[in-house]
PDB file of all heavy atoms in Angstrom:
ATOM      1  N   THR T 351      62.754  94.804  37.694  1.00 84.00           N
ATOM      2  CA  THR T 351      62.899  96.140  37.089  1.00 84.00           C
ATOM      3  C   THR T 351      62.505  96.111  35.618  1.00 84.00           C
ATOM      4  O   THR T 351      62.934  96.956  34.828  1.00 84.00           O
ATOM      5  CB  THR T 351      64.353  96.626  37.236  1.00 84.00           C
ATOM      6  OG1 THR T 351      65.234  95.625  36.695  1.00 84.00           O
ATOM      7  CG2 THR T 351      64.710  96.882  38.687  1.00 84.00           C
ATOM      8  N   ASP T 352      61.672  95.149  35.252  1.00 82.00           N
ATOM      9  CA  ASP T 352      61.276  95.000  33.847  1.00 82.00           C
ATOM     10  C   ASP T 352      60.542  96.223  33.306  1.00 82.00           C
ATOM     11  O   ASP T 352      60.630  96.534  32.112  1.00 82.00           O
ATOM     12  CB  ASP T 352      60.376  93.762  33.674  1.00 82.00           C
ATOM     13  CG  ASP T 352      61.134  92.467  33.931  1.00 82.00           C
ATOM     14  OD1 ASP T 352      62.381  92.526  33.996  1.00 82.00           O
ATOM     15  OD2 ASP T 352      60.486  91.421  34.084  1.00 82.00           O
ATOM     16  N   GLN T 353      59.780  96.914  34.177  1.00 87.00           N
ATOM     17  CA  GLN T 353      58.957  98.043  33.731  1.00 87.00           C
ATOM     18  C   GLN T 353      59.654  99.390  33.968  1.00 87.00           C
ATOM     19  O   GLN T 353      59.020 100.435  33.870  1.00 87.00           O
ATOM     20  CB  GLN T 353      57.610  98.045  34.468  1.00 87.00           C
ATOM     21  CG  GLN T 353      56.765  96.811  34.225  1.00 87.00           C
ATOM     22  CD  GLN T 353      56.096  96.847  32.857  1.00 87.00           C
ATOM     23  OE1 GLN T 353      56.130  97.859  32.171  1.00 87.00           O
ATOM     24  NE2 GLN T 353      55.515  95.741  32.463  1.00 87.00           N
ATOM     25  N   LEU T 354      60.947  99.343  34.262  1.00 91.00           N
ATOM     26  CA  LEU T 354      61.679 100.564  34.597  1.00 91.00           C
ATOM     27  C   LEU T 354      62.465 101.074  33.396  1.00 91.00           C
ATOM     28  O   LEU T 354      63.134 100.308  32.705  1.00 91.00           O
ATOM     29  CB  LEU T 354      62.641 100.287  35.756  1.00 91.00           C
ATOM     30  CG  LEU T 354      63.468 101.468  36.272  1.00 91.00           C
ATOM     31  CD1 LEU T 354      62.554 102.535  36.874  1.00 91.00           C
ATOM     32  CD2 LEU T 354      64.492 101.007  37.303  1.00 91.00           C
ATOM     33  N   THR T 355      62.401 102.389  33.173  1.00 92.00           N
ATOM     34  CA  THR T 355      63.206 103.055  32.151  1.00 92.00           C
ATOM     35  C   THR T 355      64.097 104.090  32.828  1.00 92.00           C
ATOM     36  O   THR T 355      63.610 104.919  33.601  1.00 92.00           O
ATOM     37  CB  THR T 355      62.323 103.752  31.105  1.00 92.00           C
ATOM     38  OG1 THR T 355      61.531 102.770  30.429  1.00 92.00           O
ATOM     39  CG2 THR T 355      63.169 104.495  30.078  1.00 92.00           C
ATOM     40  N   ILE T 356      65.385 104.036  32.543  1.00 93.00           N
ATOM     41  CA  ILE T 356      66.345 104.979  33.123  1.00 93.00           C
ATOM     42  C   ILE T 356      66.787 105.961  32.046  1.00 93.00           C
ATOM     43  O   ILE T 356      67.239 105.557  30.971  1.00 93.00           O
ATOM     44  CB  ILE T 356      67.566 104.232  33.694  1.00 93.00           C
ATOM     45  CG1 ILE T 356      67.135 103.269  34.810  1.00 93.00           C
ATOM     46  CG2 ILE T 356      68.600 105.220  34.218  1.00 93.00           C
ATOM     47  CD1 ILE T 356      68.267 102.406  35.346  1.00 93.00           C
ATOM     48  N   HIS T 357      66.669 107.255  32.361  1.00 93.00           N
ATOM     49  CA  HIS T 357      67.035 108.311  31.416  1.00 93.00           C
ATOM     50  C   HIS T 357      68.476 108.735  31.696  1.00 93.00           C
ATOM     51  O   HIS T 357      68.805 109.200  32.787  1.00 93.00           O
ATOM     52  CB  HIS T 357      66.082 109.495  31.603  1.00 93.00           C
ATOM     53  CG  HIS T 357      66.036 110.415  30.423  1.00 93.00           C
ATOM     54  ND1 HIS T 357      66.997 110.428  29.446  1.00 93.00           N
ATOM     55  CD2 HIS T 357      65.138 111.390  30.071  1.00 93.00           C
ATOM     56  CE1 HIS T 357      66.691 111.340  28.541  1.00 93.00           C
ATOM     57  NE2 HIS T 357      65.569 111.940  28.904  1.00 93.00           N
ATOM     58  N   LEU T 358      69.362 108.573  30.709  1.00 92.00           N
ATOM     59  CA  LEU T 358      70.777 108.860  30.894  1.00 92.00           C
ATOM     60  C   LEU T 358      71.131 110.336  30.743  1.00 92.00           C
ATOM     61  O   LEU T 358      72.138 110.791  31.306  1.00 92.00           O
ATOM     62  CB  LEU T 358      71.612 108.063  29.882  1.00 92.00           C
ATOM     63  CG  LEU T 358      71.525 106.535  29.931  1.00 92.00           C
ATOM     64  CD1 LEU T 358      72.366 105.936  28.813  1.00 92.00           C
ATOM     65  CD2 LEU T 358      71.985 106.019  31.279  1.00 92.00           C
ATOM     66  N   SER T 359      70.356 111.083  29.993  1.00 91.00           N
ATOM     67  CA  SER T 359      70.771 112.432  29.600  1.00 91.00           C
ATOM     68  C   SER T 359      70.762 113.459  30.734  1.00 91.00           C
ATOM     69  O   SER T 359      71.675 114.286  30.808  1.00 91.00           O
ATOM     70  CB  SER T 359      69.905 112.923  28.438  1.00 91.00           C
ATOM     71  OG  SER T 359      70.065 112.062  27.325  1.00 91.00           O
ATOM     72  N   PRO T 360      69.756 113.501  31.609  1.00 92.00           N
ATOM     73  CA  PRO T 360      69.777 114.521  32.659  1.00 92.00           C
ATOM     74  C   PRO T 360      70.928 114.304  33.643  1.00 92.00           C
ATOM     75  O   PRO T 360      71.285 113.168  33.959  1.00 92.00           O
ATOM     76  CB  PRO T 360      68.429 114.327  33.373  1.00 92.00           C
ATOM     77  CG  PRO T 360      67.593 113.540  32.424  1.00 92.00           C
ATOM     78  CD  PRO T 360      68.544 112.671  31.679  1.00 92.00           C
ATOM     79  N   GLY T 361      71.488 115.394  34.133  1.00 90.00           N
ATOM     80  CA  GLY T 361      72.547 115.294  35.121  1.00 90.00           C
ATOM     81  C   GLY T 361      73.930 115.323  34.506  1.00 90.00           C
ATOM     82  O   GLY T 361      74.124 115.716  33.359  1.00 90.00           O
ATOM     83  N   THR T 362      74.901 114.877  35.273  1.00 90.00           N
ATOM     84  CA  THR T 362      76.303 114.937  34.853  1.00 90.00           C
ATOM     85  C   THR T 362      76.729 113.650  34.152  1.00 90.00           C
ATOM     86  O   THR T 362      76.063 112.616  34.283  1.00 90.00           O
ATOM     87  CB  THR T 362      77.210 115.141  36.083  1.00 90.00           C
ATOM     88  OG1 THR T 362      77.100 113.993  36.938  1.00 90.00           O
ATOM     89  CG2 THR T 362      76.814 116.389  36.854  1.00 90.00           C
ATOM     90  N   PRO T 363      77.855 113.684  33.415  1.00 90.00           N
ATOM     91  CA  PRO T 363      78.370 112.445  32.810  1.00 90.00           C
ATOM     92  C   PRO T 363      78.642 111.353  33.840  1.00 90.00           C
ATOM     93  O   PRO T 363      78.466 110.167  33.541  1.00 90.00           O
ATOM     94  CB  PRO T 363      79.673 112.908  32.135  1.00 90.00           C
ATOM     95  CG  PRO T 363      79.446 114.355  31.829  1.00 90.00           C
ATOM     96  CD  PRO T 363      78.624 114.865  32.982  1.00 90.00           C
ATOM     97  N   ALA T 364      79.050 111.753  35.047  1.00 88.00           N
ATOM     98  CA  ALA T 364      79.289 110.746  36.097  1.00 88.00           C
ATOM     99  C   ALA T 364      78.000 110.022  36.448  1.00 88.00           C
ATOM    100  O   ALA T 364      77.989 108.801  36.677  1.00 88.00           O
ATOM    101  CB  ALA T 364      79.876 111.422  37.341  1.00 88.00           C
ATOM    102  N   MET T 365      76.886 110.764  36.497  1.00 91.00           N
ATOM    103  CA  MET T 365      75.589 110.152  36.794  1.00 91.00           C
ATOM    104  C   MET T 365      75.180 109.184  35.692  1.00 91.00           C
ATOM    105  O   MET T 365      74.685 108.081  35.959  1.00 91.00           O
ATOM    106  CB  MET T 365      74.534 111.243  36.981  1.00 91.00           C
ATOM    107  CG  MET T 365      74.776 112.111  38.197  1.00 91.00           C
ATOM    108  SD  MET T 365      73.714 113.573  38.236  1.00 91.00           S
ATOM    109  CE  MET T 365      74.234 114.338  39.786  1.00 91.00           C
ATOM    110  N   ALA T 366      75.415 109.573  34.451  1.00 90.00           N
ATOM    111  CA  ALA T 366      75.083 108.697  33.318  1.00 90.00           C
ATOM    112  C   ALA T 366      75.931 107.429  33.349  1.00 90.00           C
ATOM    113  O   ALA T 366      75.426 106.325  33.105  1.00 90.00           O
ATOM    114  CB  ALA T 366      75.299 109.442  32.006  1.00 90.00           C
ATOM    115  N   ALA T 367      77.229 107.573  33.677  1.00 89.00           N
ATOM    116  CA  ALA T 367      78.115 106.410  33.718  1.00 89.00           C
ATOM    117  C   ALA T 367      77.665 105.409  34.779  1.00 89.00           C
ATOM    118  O   ALA T 367      77.658 104.197  34.549  1.00 89.00           O
ATOM    119  CB  ALA T 367      79.550 106.862  33.996  1.00 89.00           C
ATOM    120  N   VAL T 368      77.263 105.929  35.941  1.00 89.00           N
ATOM    121  CA  VAL T 368      76.791 105.044  37.014  1.00 89.00           C
ATOM    122  C   VAL T 368      75.506 104.334  36.598  1.00 89.00           C
ATOM    123  O   VAL T 368      75.328 103.137  36.852  1.00 89.00           O
ATOM    124  CB  VAL T 368      76.586 105.837  38.317  1.00 89.00           C
ATOM    125  CG1 VAL T 368      75.847 104.995  39.353  1.00 89.00           C
ATOM    126  CG2 VAL T 368      77.930 106.285  38.877  1.00 89.00           C
ATOM    127  N   TRP T 369      74.593 105.063  35.946  1.00 90.00           N
ATOM    128  CA  TRP T 369      73.355 104.429  35.462  1.00 90.00           C
ATOM    129  C   TRP T 369      73.677 103.268  34.524  1.00 90.00           C
ATOM    130  O   TRP T 369      73.070 102.192  34.604  1.00 90.00           O
ATOM    131  CB  TRP T 369      72.484 105.439  34.737  1.00 90.00           C
ATOM    132  CG  TRP T 369      71.638 106.365  35.544  1.00 90.00           C
ATOM    133  CD1 TRP T 369      71.401 107.687  35.304  1.00 90.00           C
ATOM    134  CD2 TRP T 369      70.853 106.053  36.713  1.00 90.00           C
ATOM    135  NE1 TRP T 369      70.553 108.218  36.247  1.00 90.00           N
ATOM    136  CE2 TRP T 369      70.189 107.235  37.113  1.00 90.00           C
ATOM    137  CE3 TRP T 369      70.660 104.895  37.457  1.00 90.00           C
ATOM    138  CZ2 TRP T 369      69.356 107.294  38.219  1.00 90.00           C
ATOM    139  CZ3 TRP T 369      69.828 104.948  38.562  1.00 90.00           C
ATOM    140  CH2 TRP T 369      69.182 106.130  38.939  1.00 90.00           C
ATOM    141  N   ILE T 370      74.620 103.484  33.606  1.00 87.00           N
ATOM    142  CA  ILE T 370      74.951 102.440  32.627  1.00 87.00           C
ATOM    143  C   ILE T 370      75.484 101.200  33.340  1.00 87.00           C
ATOM    144  O   ILE T 370      75.080 100.064  33.061  1.00 87.00           O
ATOM    145  CB  ILE T 370      75.979 102.960  31.605  1.00 87.00           C
ATOM    146  CG1 ILE T 370      75.343 104.043  30.724  1.00 87.00           C
ATOM    147  CG2 ILE T 370      76.497 101.821  30.725  1.00 87.00           C
ATOM    148  CD1 ILE T 370      76.326 104.756  29.816  1.00 87.00           C
ATOM    149  N   ILE T 371      76.402 101.419  34.282  1.00 83.00           N
ATOM    150  CA  ILE T 371      76.991 100.279  35.007  1.00 83.00           C
ATOM    151  C   ILE T 371      75.920  99.519  35.785  1.00 83.00           C
ATOM    152  O   ILE T 371      75.841  98.285  35.735  1.00 83.00           O
ATOM    153  CB  ILE T 371      78.104 100.769  35.951  1.00 83.00           C
ATOM    154  CG1 ILE T 371      79.291 101.283  35.131  1.00 83.00           C
ATOM    155  CG2 ILE T 371      78.551  99.657  36.894  1.00 83.00           C
ATOM    156  CD1 ILE T 371      80.362 101.967  35.947  1.00 83.00           C
ATOM    157  N   LEU T 372      75.077 100.251  36.509  1.00 83.00           N
ATOM    158  CA  LEU T 372      74.041  99.600  37.311  1.00 83.00           C
ATOM    159  C   LEU T 372      73.011  98.899  36.433  1.00 83.00           C
ATOM    160  O   LEU T 372      72.569  97.789  36.728  1.00 83.00           O
ATOM    161  CB  LEU T 372      73.357 100.635  38.207  1.00 83.00           C
ATOM    162  CG  LEU T 372      74.184 101.136  39.394  1.00 83.00           C
ATOM    163  CD1 LEU T 372      73.476 102.304  40.081  1.00 83.00           C
ATOM    164  CD2 LEU T 372      74.416 100.017  40.394  1.00 83.00           C
ATOM    165  N   ALA T 373      72.618  99.558  35.351  1.00 80.00           N
ATOM    166  CA  ALA T 373      71.600  98.969  34.481  1.00 80.00           C
ATOM    167  C   ALA T 373      72.088  97.687  33.830  1.00 80.00           C
ATOM    168  O   ALA T 373      71.322  96.734  33.653  1.00 80.00           O
ATOM    169  CB  ALA T 373      71.189  99.975  33.402  1.00 80.00           C
ATOM    170  N   ARG T 374      73.355  97.646  33.487  1.00 72.00           N
ATOM    171  CA  ARG T 374      73.884  96.471  32.789  1.00 72.00           C
ATOM    172  C   ARG T 374      74.306  95.349  33.731  1.00 72.00           C
ATOM    173  O   ARG T 374      74.565  94.240  33.290  1.00 72.00           O
ATOM    174  CB  ARG T 374      75.080  96.883  31.922  1.00 72.00           C
ATOM    175  CG  ARG T 374      74.674  97.693  30.690  1.00 72.00           C
ATOM    176  CD  ARG T 374      73.888  96.817  29.709  1.00 72.00           C
ATOM    177  NE  ARG T 374      73.529  97.545  28.509  1.00 72.00           N
ATOM    178  CZ  ARG T 374      72.371  98.153  28.301  1.00 72.00           C
ATOM    179  NH1 ARG T 374      71.434  98.102  29.244  1.00 72.00           N
ATOM    180  NH2 ARG T 374      72.136  98.785  27.183  1.00 72.00           N
ATOM    181  N   THR T 375      74.398  95.637  35.032  1.00 68.00           N
ATOM    182  CA  THR T 375      74.886  94.612  35.958  1.00 68.00           C
ATOM    183  C   THR T 375      73.889  94.227  37.032  1.00 68.00           C
ATOM    184  O   THR T 375      74.018  93.163  37.632  1.00 68.00           O
ATOM    185  CB  THR T 375      76.179  95.093  36.660  1.00 68.00           C
ATOM    186  OG1 THR T 375      75.911  96.303  37.379  1.00 68.00           O
ATOM    187  CG2 THR T 375      77.279  95.335  35.653  1.00 68.00           C
TER     188      THR T 375
END
């Protein structure tokens, strides 16, 4: 996933929280 960028802002705070957890783990 080296070339992948995840955008946190669109969607709900729950969606952003899940992105952060998945991206960091």
Side-chain angles (χ1 to χ4, degrees):
T351 54
D352 293 347
Q353 299 284 351
L354 182 64
T355 298
I356 299 175
H357 200 343
L358 299 177
S359 299
T362 64
M365 294 169 179
V368 169
W369 280 140
I370 292 172
I371 292 172
L372 287 172
R374 288 292 182 264
T375 59

